[in-house]
Amino acid sequence: MLMKAQEIMTRNVVKVKGSATIAEAVALMKENNIRCLIVDRRREDDAYGIITETDVVNQVAAYGKDPQQVRVYEVMTKPCIVVNPDLGVEYVARLFSQANIHHAPVIQHEVLGLISTSDILRKSDFVNNPKEKLLEEEIEKAIAHAREECHNKGNTSQECAVAWDVVEELQAEAAHQKAEKRYDLGQGG
Amino acid sequence: MLMKAQEIMTRNVVKVKGSATIAEAVALMKENNIRCLIVDRRREDDAYGIITETDVVNQVAAYGKDPQQVRVYEVMTKPCIVVNPDLGVEYVARLFSQANIHHAPVIQHEVLGLISTSDILRKSDFVNNPKEKLLEEEIEKAIAHAREECHNKGNTSQECAVAWDVVEELQAEAAHQKAEKRYDLGQGG
Amino acid sequence: MLMKAQEIMTRNVVKVKGSATIAEAVALMKENNIRCLIVDRRREDDAYGIITETDVVNQVAAYGKDPQQVRVYEVMTKPCIVVNPDLGVEYVARLFSQANIHHAPVIQHEVLGLISTSDILRKSDFVNNPKEKLLEEEIEKAIAHAREECHNKGNTSQECAVAWDVVEELQAEAAHQKAEKRYDLGQGG
Amino acid sequence: MLMKAQEIMTRNVVKVKGSATIAEAVALMKENNIRCLIVDRRREDDAYGIITETDVVNQVAAYGKDPQQVRVYEVMTKPCIVVNPDLGVEYVARLFSQANIHHAPVIQHEVLGLISTSDILRKSDFVNNPKEKLLEEEIEKAIAHAREECHNKGNTSQECAVAWDVVEELQAEAAHQKAEKRYDLGQGG
Amino acid sequence: MLMKAQEIMTRNVVKVKGSATIAEAVALMKENNIRCLIVDRRREDDAYGIITETDVVNQVAAYGKDPQQVRVYEVMTKPCIVVNPDLGVEYVARLFSQANIHHAPVIQHEVLGLISTSDILRKSDFVNNPKEKLLEEEIEKAIAHAREECHNKGNTSQECAVAWDVVEELQAEAAHQKAEKRYDLGQGG
Amino acid sequence: MLMKAQEIMTRNVVKVKGSATIAEAVALMKENNIRCLIVDRRREDDAYGIITETDVVNQVAAYGKDPQQVRVYEVMTKPCIVVNPDLGVEYVARLFSQANIHHAPVIQHEVLGLISTSDILRKSDFVNNPKEKLLEEEIEKAIAHAREECHNKGNTSQECAVAWDVVEELQAEAAHQKAEKRYDLGQGG
């Protein structure tokens, strides 16, 4: 089984107001030894925002601006891309790669945690259990199962057809996994 | 009040398998007069995928490939960016603008619908009720309320401070709304 | 034979002035059930402009701006990329893919129509007659013809050399067709 | 009056076949002291291609590939963005800026010439006659004319309204000219 | 005075061979608690390479590849952008922002250290001494000096002219500092 | 041996002040028949800047701005990416390709020259001595040497192991050379 976002996310989420200064945001990051802060929603039709180390360096330090004068809302990203707690870690990595992001809040009704590129590198098991191996094993099992079903229920049975459908879908996923295409800026359409 | 994603989304969601051919996907789009299909999850740690008209034209037709030979998983985007049903329409538009996408599934535990650039243009009320006007009215009310609180409870009361905090956050949101900065490829960090 | 741009373009082109408001542009789009408008040239050294659904959503709705206050010239793209009426549909698709556009005017001295990603998906025959098949047939015929020429006119004849040149060019085109490289932002140089 | 593309284009266009080697293309560039070559159409539904110095350096030299082994069709851009001979030079510059290109063929039925960033810098009069000055003068004249028309024909006359429409369109163009926004990858929609 | 790259860089540089596996690179990152490794030059006409946490997550984990099978040279960036040890921290930030990078080796003949976005946020003094303040003070001093020179040596003296040249250059730098334009992909030309 | 940056660079470097007008910069480019100018450092913690033909055309001419009114610092790129004089020409090409640039100063303590895409195309020997051939020869020699070492010193000797390490690194470089992946915007991390 793949690890899920919620298994490797950081539960210590620090929030900041959109009206706070960048100096205050930097102080929060340093104190908590973290690289991003969440800007909370004001009500349910509002969006979550995020402000990262990179936002501060690239948009404030790079222009020599005074962090006492710049506000969080001027550099935050809102709405931000969010991750479902059950999403497999490889999919989180792929989403990060596609969207060119390094941090995202993990959300189910409310913010449960934060997940980052570092969390994936350090806490997930992608080195020992790469998905391509897991998928290969799954496909082998599905093929064995399909053969059994067709043998037991007959080659023209519903069960046999369904079992081979599962194999086909797994093979499609494995092929998709390998297709290391370069995405557009986000999803294509 | 802002309109929400679920108020303008299209409820007629058509799904396709990752192992289907592009020819089958195109037939589904034509039959249903739609511009994108959802590729369903196989289990809860799986991700949703999406395949759009643009994916087919840009990745299959543009290269003269045979749509009978190309599979959905070769051109779909998975995982795709998803939208919460309660998200305000202006935020959906901003997310689309940032991520350079035109379609996204609306999800709460399961797929509730699809929202597109066309839905925002045609079904939302952004022409008659632009958010900048709504925010201006909200700020005026919040200021009046803050003055009243401070008058009634005293300028140093907790209530007075809280009421002005609300004003400050609304002003930050209005300023953020106007900040038509060009985003990076997704969120900055 | 490949289909050409003029065979699938939409002839109903609606124009808008650069000084019109976005609210007026949206009304025109809704009335005519279309997704983009052409901003006409004022004289022959002027350029055509275009304004699409996406421009309005991403640049006006996404920032909560008042569509009564924003003008077409603030969000249109001018000059826009144009398409020749004789261009093969696959090349239109490839141009769209390279330039990340979804609509373009079809022009020969004046605007003849509009062509979009949807027109290519819905009206062209790329599903039944993919270019790779057409090219394969053309190459087979050219090879047969070259063999005949060389047989009849001699292996060192001018006609034999010319006939093989045609084969070589067709093979180059087929190879280029398959080369699904990701372009830079437009043409490379 | 603005200068037009055909006034500053280079008329000496050198063509190359798609099946030629990169070594041959480089030899042609050096011999003719030029930075790009046109890949001709084979018939009228075909597209023009282009291969530039940058394509060769970035796609062949950068990877240490053998230029005797790589063919033009592997690195050319086809279809390429084309320019109308009557297009004003400022619009050519804007198109180049938007599409991130430095060369384009000038086409009316056939290839008339090539226009490049260098041609604009060296041969056009943008230093002495910047468009913003030309537009200012045009607007002043149009206002004077509108005042005269309204004075002579009456403030409610058709002629008066038309004359002010011209002023409004010129002002929209001037405003658009100043709007130095960063484009997406090509036109927005 | 601005802080320089060498004052905030990390001196603990860990190197890896291009032929090492990704599994080995990840182990080195974890052991040393670092986010990037340098791939050393083999001789002086060779280039430095870099491999980061993000490269591993986005190019290996995101595709479910087996880190025991993928080599460093398949995902590293080589050549990488390098930083001079004397470069002011604000300029490092601006270079990072322009090039969309988060780490770079600091080099003078050999690798002296590594500098990252985190180093800038955590170790530099951009919060307390933003460059816009330093420049304002410098400009004030330069103006006072220029006035004195012109008073003492005469308004038409060489010294007076030179002193005002210094003021002009400082003002240009301050204006450039504020010009928070969005860069192309790297330097424009 | 590969050619180095300093062997093909242009030594005639023309500098311009950040406070000069674009009209002055264009005059310098025309007079010297060059395509870019260097903006000098004011002191050692300062960065080098660059202004190219493309910057002027895309940011001034494209918007019809008056080149007498726009200053160099408004369109220059600072800091700019720099090249080491010893860097192999193929690596310069790869750096240009990755960073989407066409010109860079060659620097060792001070500016030694300028190198451009045209210099690589016209002055380097990449056509006759492509790096893939040089590497193949080097690998063959290294293998022969390794075999000799192992034969002479024994298969378990230090010298034998070191010699095969050299082979492995050369093979990694050759594989990297061929890996014509599309880079992100600069180095990945």
Side-chain angles (χ1 to χ4, degrees):
Chain A
M1 280 293 293
L2 285 176
M3 291 184 82
K4 296 177 180 182
Q6 63 189 325
E7 295 178 69
I8 64 165
M9 71 184 181
T10 302
R11 285 169 199 279
N12 174 29
V13 178
V14 181
K15 292 179 179 171
V16 69
K17 283 186 172 181
S19 57
T21 66
I22 294 301
E24 290 165 344
V26 170
L28 278 172
M29 288 183 188
K30 285 184 176 176
E31 263 168 48
N32 291 279
N33 195 27
I34 50 179
R35 290 160 192 274
C36 77
L37 306 170
I38 293 297
V39 185
D40 217 353
R41 300 194 300 177
R42 288 187 309 109
R43 42 177 202 232
E44 78 171 357
D45 68 343
D46 198 8
Y48 288 103
I50 197 168
I51 179 167
T52 71
E53 204 176 66
T54 302
D55 295 329
V56 173
V57 168
N58 288 11
Q59 295 178 52
V60 181
Y63 295 97
K65 290 182 182 172
D66 185 351
Q68 313 278 2
Q69 303 300 325
V70 184
R71 302 292 176 126
V72 166
Y73 69 78
E74 297 179 59
V75 300
M76 70 181 177
T77 298
K78 179 182 171 184
C80 64
I81 291 168
V82 301
V83 166
N84 187 298
D86 289 323
L87 191 64
V89 165
E90 270 80 5
Y91 284 121
V92 179
R94 198 173 271 218
L95 183 65
F96 279 22
S97 173
Q98 285 171 42
N100 192 23
I101 61 174
H102 297 79
H103 306 270
V106 180
I107 287 178
Q108 188 106 67
H109 299 297
E110 52 172 351
V111 179
L112 304 178
L114 266 166
I115 187 164
S116 71
T117 300
S118 292
D119 292 326
I120 299 173
L121 191 99
R122 284 157 203 277
K123 301 187 207 157
S124 88
D125 61 348
F126 80 101
V127 173
N128 296 321
N129 292 311
K131 199 178 167 188
E132 68 179 20
K133 277 194 183 167
L134 297 176
L135 272 172
E136 274 165 31
E137 290 165 20
E138 244 188 295
I139 290 171
E140 272 172 43
K141 272 186 221 162
I143 289 174
H145 176 72
R147 285 186 178 142
E148 210 180 280
E149 286 285 276
C150 301
H151 181 78
N152 294 342
K153 313 276 169 66
N155 280 325
T156 55
S157 69
Q158 184 70 21
E159 288 85 351
C160 170
V162 166
W164 281 112
D165 263 11
V166 170
V167 172
E168 198 173 26
E169 279 307 293
L170 281 166
Q171 287 172 329
E173 186 172 344
H176 177 248
Q177 195 67 29
K178 278 176 189 152
E180 192 187 349
K181 64 173 173 175
R182 298 208 59 73
Y183 289 82
D184 285 320
L185 316 173
Q187 68 201 61
Chain B
M1 279 295 291
L2 284 175
M3 290 184 83
K4 297 177 180 180
Q6 61 189 326
E7 296 177 68
I8 64 165
M9 71 185 181
T10 301
R11 284 170 200 279
N12 174 29
V13 178
V14 180
K15 292 178 180 171
V16 70
K17 282 186 172 182
S19 57
T21 65
I22 294 301
E24 290 166 344
V26 170
L28 278 172
M29 288 183 188
K30 285 184 176 177
E31 263 168 48
N32 291 279
N33 195 27
I34 51 179
R35 291 161 192 274
C36 79
L37 306 169
I38 292 298
V39 186
D40 217 354
R41 301 194 299 178
R42 287 186 311 110
R43 42 176 202 234
E44 75 171 358
D45 69 343
D46 198 9
Y48 289 102
I50 197 169
I51 179 167
T52 70
E53 202 176 65
T54 302
D55 295 329
V56 173
V57 169
N58 288 11
Q59 295 178 53
V60 182
Y63 296 98
K65 290 182 181 170
D66 185 351
Q68 314 276 1
Q69 302 301 324
V70 184
R71 301 293 176 127
V72 165
Y73 69 77
E74 298 179 58
V75 300
M76 71 180 175
T77 297
K78 178 180 171 185
C80 64
I81 292 169
V82 300
V83 165
N84 187 298
D86 289 323
L87 191 64
V89 166
E90 270 80 5
Y91 283 121
V92 179
R94 197 174 272 218
L95 183 65
F96 278 23
S97 173
Q98 284 171 43
N100 192 24
I101 61 174
H102 297 81
H103 306 270
V106 179
I107 287 177
Q108 187 105 67
H109 301 296
E110 53 171 351
V111 179
L112 305 178
L114 267 167
I115 187 164
S116 71
T117 300
S118 293
D119 292 326
I120 299 174
L121 192 99
R122 284 157 202 276
K123 302 189 207 156
S124 88
D125 61 349
F126 80 100
V127 172
N128 296 321
N129 291 310
K131 199 179 167 189
E132 68 178 21
K133 278 195 183 166
L134 297 176
L135 272 172
E136 273 166 32
E137 289 165 20
E138 244 188 295
I139 290 171
E140 271 172 44
K141 274 188 218 160
I143 288 174
H145 177 72
R147 284 187 179 140
E148 207 180 281
E149 286 286 275
C150 301
H151 181 77
N152 294 343
K153 311 278 169 63
N155 280 325
T156 57
S157 69
Q158 184 70 20
E159 289 87 349
C160 170
V162 166
W164 281 113
D165 263 11
V166 171
V167 172
E168 198 173 25
E169 279 308 294
L170 281 166
Q171 287 172 331
E173 187 172 343
H176 177 248
Q177 195 68 28
K178 278 177 189 151
E180 192 187 349
K181 66 173 173 177
R182 297 207 58 74
Y183 289 83
D184 285 321
L185 317 174
Q187 67 200 60
Chain C
M1 280 294 293
L2 284 175
M3 290 184 83
K4 297 178 180 180
Q6 60 189 327
E7 295 177 67
I8 63 165
M9 70 185 182
T10 302
R11 284 169 200 281
N12 174 29
V13 179
V14 181
K15 293 178 178 171
V16 69
K17 282 186 172 181
S19 57
T21 66
I22 294 302
E24 290 165 343
V26 170
L28 277 172
M29 288 182 187
K30 285 184 176 177
E31 263 168 49
N32 292 278
N33 195 27
I34 51 180
R35 292 161 191 276
C36 78
L37 306 169
I38 293 299
V39 186
D40 217 354
R41 301 194 298 178
R42 288 188 309 107
R43 43 176 202 235
E44 75 172 0
D45 68 343
D46 198 8
Y48 289 102
I50 197 168
I51 179 167
T52 70
E53 203 176 65
T54 302
D55 295 329
V56 172
V57 169
N58 287 11
Q59 295 178 52
V60 181
Y63 296 98
K65 290 182 182 172
D66 185 350
Q68 314 277 2
Q69 302 300 324
V70 184
R71 302 292 176 127
V72 165
Y73 69 77
E74 297 179 59
V75 300
M76 71 181 176
T77 297
K78 179 181 171 184
C80 65
I81 292 169
V82 300
V83 166
N84 187 299
D86 289 324
L87 191 64
V89 165
E90 270 79 5
Y91 284 121
V92 179
R94 197 172 273 219
L95 182 66
F96 279 23
S97 174
Q98 285 171 42
N100 192 24
I101 60 175
H102 298 79
H103 306 270
V106 180
I107 287 178
Q108 187 105 66
H109 301 297
E110 51 171 351
V111 180
L112 304 178
L114 266 168
I115 187 165
S116 72
T117 300
S118 293
D119 293 327
I120 298 173
L121 192 98
R122 285 157 202 277
K123 302 188 208 158
S124 88
D125 60 348
F126 80 101
V127 173
N128 296 321
N129 291 311
K131 198 178 168 189
E132 68 179 21
K133 278 195 184 166
L134 297 176
L135 272 172
E136 273 165 32
E137 290 165 19
E138 243 188 298
I139 290 170
E140 272 172 43
K141 274 187 218 159
I143 289 174
H145 176 72
R147 284 185 180 144
E148 207 181 282
E149 287 286 275
C150 301
H151 181 79
N152 294 342
K153 313 277 169 66
N155 280 325
T156 56
S157 69
Q158 184 69 20
E159 288 85 352
C160 170
V162 166
W164 282 112
D165 263 11
V166 170
V167 173
E168 198 172 26
E169 278 308 293
L170 281 165
Q171 287 172 330
E173 188 173 343
H176 176 249
Q177 194 69 27
K178 278 175 191 153
E180 192 187 349
K181 64 174 173 177
R182 297 207 57 74
Y183 289 82
D184 285 320
L185 316 175
Q187 67 199 65
Chain D
M1 280 294 291
L2 284 176
M3 290 183 83
K4 296 177 180 181
Q6 62 189 326
E7 295 178 68
I8 64 164
M9 70 184 182
T10 301
R11 284 170 200 280
N12 174 29
V13 178
V14 181
K15 293 179 179 171
V16 70
K17 282 187 172 181
S19 57
T21 66
I22 294 301
E24 290 165 344
V26 170
L28 278 173
M29 287 181 187
K30 285 184 174 175
E31 263 169 47
N32 291 279
N33 195 28
I34 51 179
R35 292 162 190 274
C36 78
L37 305 169
I38 292 298
V39 186
D40 218 352
R41 303 195 296 179
R42 288 188 309 108
R43 44 179 200 230
E44 74 171 1
D45 69 344
D46 198 8
Y48 288 102
I50 197 168
I51 179 167
T52 70
E53 203 176 66
T54 301
D55 295 329
V56 173
V57 168
N58 288 11
Q59 295 179 52
V60 182
Y63 295 97
K65 290 183 182 170
D66 185 351
Q68 314 277 0
Q69 303 300 325
V70 185
R71 301 293 176 127
V72 165
Y73 69 78
E74 297 179 58
V75 298
M76 71 181 176
T77 298
K78 179 181 171 184
C80 65
I81 292 169
V82 300
V83 166
N84 186 299
D86 289 323
L87 192 64
V89 166
E90 269 80 4
Y91 284 121
V92 179
R94 198 173 270 218
L95 182 66
F96 278 24
S97 174
Q98 284 172 40
N100 192 24
I101 60 174
H102 297 81
H103 305 270
V106 180
I107 287 178
Q108 187 105 66
H109 300 296
E110 51 172 352
V111 179
L112 304 178
L114 267 167
I115 187 164
S116 71
T117 300
S118 293
D119 292 327
I120 299 173
L121 191 99
R122 285 157 202 276
K123 301 189 208 156
S124 88
D125 61 347
F126 81 99
V127 173
N128 295 321
N129 291 311
K131 199 178 166 189
E132 68 179 20
K133 277 195 183 168
L134 296 175
L135 272 172
E136 274 166 31
E137 289 165 20
E138 246 189 294
I139 290 170
E140 272 173 42
K141 274 188 216 157
I143 289 175
H145 177 72
R147 284 185 179 145
E148 209 181 281
E149 287 286 275
C150 301
H151 180 80
N152 294 342
K153 313 275 169 66
N155 280 326
T156 57
S157 69
Q158 183 70 20
E159 288 86 348
C160 170
V162 166
W164 282 113
D165 263 10
V166 171
V167 172
E168 199 173 26
E169 278 308 293
L170 281 167
Q171 286 172 330
E173 187 172 343
H176 177 248
Q177 193 68 28
K178 278 176 190 153
E180 193 186 349
K181 66 174 172 177
R182 297 208 59 75
Y183 289 82
D184 286 320
L185 316 174
Q187 66 201 62
Chain E
M1 279 295 292
L2 284 176
M3 290 184 84
K4 297 177 180 181
Q6 63 189 324
E7 295 178 68
I8 64 166
M9 70 185 181
T10 301
R11 283 168 201 281
N12 175 29
V13 178
V14 181
K15 292 178 179 172
V16 70
K17 282 186 173 183
S19 56
T21 65
I22 294 301
E24 290 165 343
V26 170
L28 278 172
M29 287 182 187
K30 284 184 176 177
E31 264 169 47
N32 292 278
N33 196 25
I34 51 180
R35 292 162 191 274
C36 78
L37 307 168
I38 292 298
V39 186
D40 217 354
R41 301 193 298 177
R42 287 187 311 109
R43 43 176 201 233
E44 73 172 1
D45 69 343
D46 198 7
Y48 288 102
I50 197 168
I51 178 166
T52 71
E53 204 176 63
T54 302
D55 294 330
V56 173
V57 168
N58 288 11
Q59 294 179 53
V60 182
Y63 296 98
K65 292 182 181 169
D66 185 350
Q68 314 277 2
Q69 303 301 324
V70 184
R71 302 292 176 126
V72 165
Y73 69 77
E74 297 178 58
V75 299
M76 71 181 176
T77 298
K78 179 181 172 183
C80 65
I81 292 169
V82 301
V83 166
N84 187 299
D86 289 324
L87 192 64
V89 166
E90 269 81 5
Y91 284 120
V92 179
R94 197 173 273 220
L95 183 65
F96 278 23
S97 173
Q98 284 172 43
N100 192 24
I101 61 176
H102 297 81
H103 306 271
V106 179
I107 288 177
Q108 186 105 67
H109 301 297
E110 50 172 352
V111 179
L112 304 178
L114 268 168
I115 187 164
S116 72
T117 300
S118 293
D119 293 326
I120 299 174
L121 191 100
R122 283 157 203 278
K123 302 188 208 157
S124 88
D125 60 348
F126 81 99
V127 173
N128 296 321
N129 292 310
K131 199 178 167 189
E132 68 178 21
K133 277 197 183 166
L134 296 175
L135 271 173
E136 274 165 31
E137 289 165 19
E138 245 189 295
I139 290 171
E140 272 172 42
K141 273 188 217 159
I143 289 174
H145 176 72
R147 284 185 179 144
E148 206 181 283
E149 286 286 275
C150 300
H151 180 78
N152 293 344
K153 310 280 170 62
N155 280 325
T156 57
S157 69
Q158 184 69 20
E159 288 85 351
C160 170
V162 165
W164 281 112
D165 263 11
V166 171
V167 172
E168 198 172 26
E169 279 307 293
L170 281 166
Q171 286 172 331
E173 187 172 343
H176 176 248
Q177 195 67 28
K178 278 176 192 155
E180 192 187 348
K181 65 173 172 177
R182 296 207 60 75
Y183 288 83
D184 284 320
L185 316 174
Q187 67 200 62
Chain F
M1 281 292 293
L2 284 176
M3 291 183 82
K4 296 177 181 182
Q6 62 189 326
E7 295 177 68
I8 64 164
M9 71 185 181
T10 301
R11 285 169 200 281
N12 174 30
V13 178
V14 181
K15 293 179 179 171
V16 70
K17 283 186 172 181
S19 57
T21 65
I22 293 302
E24 289 165 344
V26 170
L28 278 172
M29 287 182 188
K30 285 184 175 176
E31 264 168 46
N32 291 278
N33 194 28
I34 51 180
R35 292 162 190 274
C36 79
L37 306 169
I38 293 298
V39 186
D40 218 352
R41 301 195 298 179
R42 286 187 312 108
R43 44 180 199 230
E44 76 172 359
D45 69 344
D46 198 8
Y48 289 101
I50 197 169
I51 179 167
T52 70
E53 204 176 65
T54 302
D55 295 329
V56 173
V57 168
N58 287 11
Q59 295 179 52
V60 182
Y63 296 97
K65 290 184 183 171
D66 185 351
Q68 314 276 1
Q69 303 300 325
V70 184
R71 301 292 176 128
V72 165
Y73 69 77
E74 296 178 59
V75 300
M76 71 182 176
T77 298
K78 179 180 172 184
C80 64
I81 291 169
V82 301
V83 166
N84 186 299
D86 289 323
L87 191 64
V89 165
E90 269 80 5
Y91 284 121
V92 179
R94 197 172 271 220
L95 182 66
F96 279 24
S97 173
Q98 284 171 41
N100 192 24
I101 61 175
H102 297 80
H103 306 270
V106 180
I107 287 178
Q108 187 104 67
H109 301 296
E110 51 172 352
V111 179
L112 303 178
L114 268 167
I115 188 164
S116 71
T117 300
S118 292
D119 293 327
I120 298 173
L121 191 99
R122 284 158 202 276
K123 302 188 207 158
S124 88
D125 61 348
F126 81 100
V127 173
N128 296 321
N129 292 311
K131 200 180 166 189
E132 68 178 20
K133 278 195 182 167
L134 296 175
L135 272 172
E136 274 166 31
E137 290 164 19
E138 245 188 294
I139 290 171
E140 272 172 43
K141 275 186 215 160
I143 289 174
H145 176 72
R147 284 184 179 146
E148 207 180 282
E149 286 286 274
C150 300
H151 180 80
N152 293 342
K153 312 277 169 63
N155 280 325
T156 57
S157 69
Q158 183 69 22
E159 289 85 350
C160 170
V162 166
W164 282 112
D165 263 10
V166 170
V167 172
E168 198 173 27
E169 279 308 293
L170 281 166
Q171 287 172 330
E173 187 172 344
H176 176 247
Q177 195 68 30
K178 278 175 190 153
E180 191 186 349
K181 66 174 171 176
R182 298 207 59 74
Y183 289 82
D184 284 321
L185 316 174
Q187 67 200 63

